[in-house]
Amino acid sequence: MAAALTGSDLPPLPAPPATPAAAATHRTSSGFLHSWDLSTGVDGPGTRFVTFLSGCPLTCLYCHNPDTWRMRDGTRTSADDVIAEAGKYTRFIAVSGGGATVSGGEPLLQPVFTGELLHRMKHELGLHTALDTSGFLGARATDALLRDTDLVLLDIKSWDPDTYKKVTGRPVQPTLDFARRLAGLGKEVHVRFVLVPGLTDAPGNIEGVAAFAGGLGNVSRVDILPFHKLGEAKWRALAKPFPLRHIPTPTPAQLNAARAVFQVHGLYAV
């Protein structure tokens, strides 16, 4: 008969998975947080715990959150605090088939903090994870960060380089390079395209985005988002004139026409 195992004879428990940030610094990561929210339908599938980080390298003319542009305007927050808050809602989120999304601003402006949040949301809380990004800083996303990301919500704001520069103040090429990298990794992507009358709605521009997205092979959904002016009050509060205050919102016919272009390229567009 085998002798009973004592406490010292028992095999050690496996160590919890180290987050990318913890492995590098031996302490929990922190970053600049703008806010968090629970949302349904606009930040990935199901009800989601959405963390909005501060700081963005783009200055989009139609931005509805210009108060997230400067990192220093956020609140320094630890990953522990964010995970503790998200943990209060995991049961509710799971029932809805939702998850957690790290958004901004631009989350890849804080890649270590973003990587730790995604890792812990996925491995500690067991949530489906999404990264909401313009892709401009896609080169900062490590392979480890992307392994912890189930879905990328990728904003492709224009195909025409001049229009993209006019809309964002930045070049489009880094976003396209990141999209191709995601395709090479087989990472699921939802493309977002904001339709702005007189700015991004040129037929050639829509066709360019649609053909590019359709050729990637990993885009499961395209959201055609109508331009709106809901953030105009935030521009005024920052003493900034809203650049597109005289631009109308697109009509249902314009939105349907844009969706049809993406559908021609075999994409599910809503």
Side-chain angles (χ1 to χ4, degrees), residues 127-146:
L127 296 175
H128 175 276
T129 56
L131 173 69
D132 183 2
T133 177
S134 71
F136 178 70
L137 297 178
R140 294 191 179 190
T142 64
D143 289 344
L145 183 153
L146 292 176

Side-chain angles (χ1 to χ4, degrees), residues 11 25 47 52 67 75 77 81 87 93 97 102 104 118 129 146 149 157 162 164 178 212 217 224 231 238 248 250 270:
T25 66
T47 298
F52 298 95
D67 51 329
T75 302
T77 307
D81 288 342
I93 289 170
V102 183
L118 289 166
T129 56
L146 292 176
T149 304
K157 301 171 188 293
D162 291 337
Y164 193 95
F178 185 53
F212 176 74
I224 310 296
L238 295 171
V270 297

Side-chain angles (χ1 to χ4, degrees), residues 2 6 26 37 40 64 156 171 223 259:
T6 67
H26 306 291
D37 197 7
T40 301
H64 58 279
I156 303 182
D223 289 289
R259 292 187 189 104

Side-chain angles (χ1 to χ4, degrees), residues 210-211 213-215 217 219-222 259-269:
V219 177
S220 60
R221 175 183 172 122
V222 178
R259 292 187 189 104
V261 176
F262 283 87
Q263 290 164 356
V264 165
H265 289 276
L267 296 164
Y268 172 64

Side-chain angles (χ1 to χ4, degrees), residues 1-266:
M1 180 175 177
L5 291 174
T6 67
S8 60
D9 295 324
L10 293 173
L13 292 174
T19 68
T25 66
H26 306 291
R27 62 181 184 273
T28 187
S29 174
S30 65
F32 289 94
L33 177 72
H34 175 269
S35 59
W36 66 267
D37 197 7
L38 288 175
S39 74
T40 301
V42 294
D43 296 290
T47 298
R48 307 189 73 82
F49 184 90
V50 186
T51 307
F52 298 95
L53 304 190
S54 292
C56 187
L58 275 55
T59 53
C60 296
L61 297 179
Y62 49 70
C63 181
H64 58 279
N65 287 316
D67 51 329
T68 66
W69 284 359
R70 300 191 304 181
M71 192 185 300
R72 65 178 180 268
D73 289 339
T75 302
R76 172 73 79 171
T77 307
S78 73
D80 286 343
D81 288 342
V82 176
I83 296 302
E85 190 64 40
K88 299 174 183 177
Y89 305 97
T90 52
R91 179 177 244 176
F92 174 67
I93 289 170
V95 169
S96 77
T101 300
V102 183
S103 185
E106 171 51 66
L108 292 179
L109 195 61
Q110 303 183 63
V112 172
F113 188 44
T114 295
E116 175 142 345
L117 292 178
L118 289 166
H119 186 93
R120 295 181 65 178
M121 296 283 190
K122 183 177 181 69
H123 295 284
E124 290 184 25
L125 302 183
L127 296 175
H128 175 276
T129 56
L131 173 69
D132 183 2
T133 177
S134 71
F136 178 70
L137 297 178
R140 294 191 179 190
T142 64
D143 289 344
L145 183 153
L146 292 176
R147 281 195 297 272
D148 289 328
T149 304
D150 296 311
L151 170 68
V152 177
L153 308 174
L154 183 63
D155 295 322
I156 303 182
K157 301 171 188 293
S158 174
W159 174 255
D160 175 70
D162 291 337
T163 302
Y164 193 95
K165 184 71 177 290
K166 183 177 181 180
V167 169
T168 70
R170 297 287 189 171
V172 67
Q173 194 59 49
T175 293
L176 303 182
D177 293 342
F178 185 53
R180 293 187 180 101
R181 179 184 169 200
L182 295 173
L185 293 171
K187 187 65 60 178
E188 183 183 6
V189 168
H190 289 183
V191 166
R192 290 171 159 180
F193 175 71
V194 180
L195 190 69
V196 186
L199 185 60
T200 66
D201 64 338
N205 192 47
I206 298 172
E207 170 65 25
V209 176
F212 176 74
L216 292 172
N218 62 326
V219 177
S220 60
R221 175 183 172 122
V222 178
D223 289 289
I224 310 296
L225 303 176
F227 161 70
H228 61 71
K229 303 178 185 180
L230 298 180
E232 187 172 2
K234 292 185 177 182
W235 285 76
R236 288 199 302 269
L238 295 171
K240 296 177 181 289
F242 184 53
L244 304 183
R245 59 191 176 278
H246 300 306
I247 301 296
T249 57
T251 66
Q254 289 172 314
L255 290 167
N256 288 335
R259 292 187 189 104
V261 176
F262 283 87
Q263 290 164 356
V264 165
H265 289 276

